[in-house]
Amino acid sequence: MDLVPPIDPPGSWGPPDASGQVRVVSSRPELQCWEHGCNGQPFSNISNLLRHQREKSGVAAKATCSKCGAEFTRTTARNKHLNRCKKMDTQPS
Ligand SMILES: [Zn+2]
Ligand SMILES: [Zn+2]
């Protein structure tokens, strides 16, 4: 029973392979908005772009003034408006 000769040690085969390298060329997604008339407005990161598209598409809960029914893209804008909205404002006193 002869021992099986060991296989060639690693590193002895061929030139260094580039299979382990990751190509980063042109792998970056296009962070631009071509909707809402934005005309390719660039965004620095994907979250900014997604937030922008959510706001523009109206998927995000649209803030509405409970007094006059005015619509706002941001709840903060609505709240600011609510403080000034005098429509149907029933004064307690
Ligand atoms: Zn847009
Ligand atoms: Zn209002």
Side-chain angles (χ1 to χ4, degrees):
M1 257 205 224
D2 289 335
L3 287 174
V4 180
I7 53 176
D8 292 332
S12 67
W13 27 277
D17 203 323
S19 62
Q21 292 181 357
V22 179
R23 289 202 173 184
V24 288
V25 180
S26 75
S27 68
R28 192 174 61 176
E30 292 286 323
L31 296 178
Q32 288 175 288
C33 182
W34 294 95
E35 298 174 71
H36 340 103
C38 291
N39 203 23
Q41 178 183 340
F43 291 85
S44 52
N45 59 61
I46 187 67
S47 56
N48 280 349
L49 174 60
L50 289 178
R51 186 185 61 192
H52 162 81
Q53 290 186 334
R54 261 206 312 271
E55 290 176 354
K56 290 291 187 179
S57 63
V59 172
K62 199 174 272 183
T64 312
C65 176
S66 56
K67 295 179 182 176
C68 70
E71 289 185 343
F72 302 88
T73 50
R74 293 170 177 270
T75 54
T76 51
R78 193 273 315 273
N79 291 338
K80 197 181 285 183
H81 164 87
L82 259 176
N83 290 332
R84 297 159 171 264
C85 186
K86 298 295 183 186
K87 210 160 193 176
M88 287 176 59
D89 196 4
T90 52
Q91 304 227 339
S93 53

